[in-house]
């Protein structure tokens, strides 16, 4: 996922990647809060990547309580 997701990518870029993954690999995303600023992506071990887009860009991704990917200041 690190090769597909980039911290700081726009909301449109993020959802375009998810659309491609859904078509190519059958990825199923979910919206845990019914708000598309938080998106959950399933991973092979049964866990989820929680993707946070509070301001229209991908700020960070959390996995099992730890930061998996984070937007650096200035990006």
């Amino acid at each position: 996922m690190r090769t597909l997701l980039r911290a700081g990518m726009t909301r449109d870029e993020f959802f375009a990647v998810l659309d491609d993954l859904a078509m190519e690999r059958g990825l199923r995303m979910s919206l845990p809060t019914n708000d598309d600023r938080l998106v959950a992506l399933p991973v092979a071990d049964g866990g989820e990547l929680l993707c946070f887009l509070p301001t229209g860009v991908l700020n960070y991704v959390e996995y099992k309580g730890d930061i998996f990917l984070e937007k650096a200041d200035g990006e």
Side-chain angles (χ1 to χ4, degrees):
M1 278 298 197
R2 288 183 200 271
T3 59
L4 300 171
L5 300 179
R6 176 182 47 83
M9 67 193 317
T10 67
R11 184 181 182 284
D12 290 342
E13 291 170 329
F14 175 78
F15 282 105
V17 166
L18 296 190
D19 286 345
D20 290 345
L21 287 172
M23 291 178 61
E24 292 172 12
R25 300 183 187 163
L27 176 76
R28 293 178 176 259
M29 65 171 221
S30 63
L31 302 175
T33 63
N34 291 324
D35 183 342
D36 67 4
R37 292 178 294 179
L38 173 60
V39 177
L41 305 176
V43 293
D45 70 359
E48 291 181 322
L49 295 176
L50 297 176
C51 304
F52 294 85
L53 299 102
T55 60
V57 299
L58 182 60
N59 281 9
Y60 66 97
V61 177
E62 185 179 300
Y63 179 62
K64 293 187 176 182
D66 292 322
I67 300 298
F68 174 77
L69 184 71
E70 186 172 22
K71 181 179 176 293
D73 290 335
E75 279 186 36

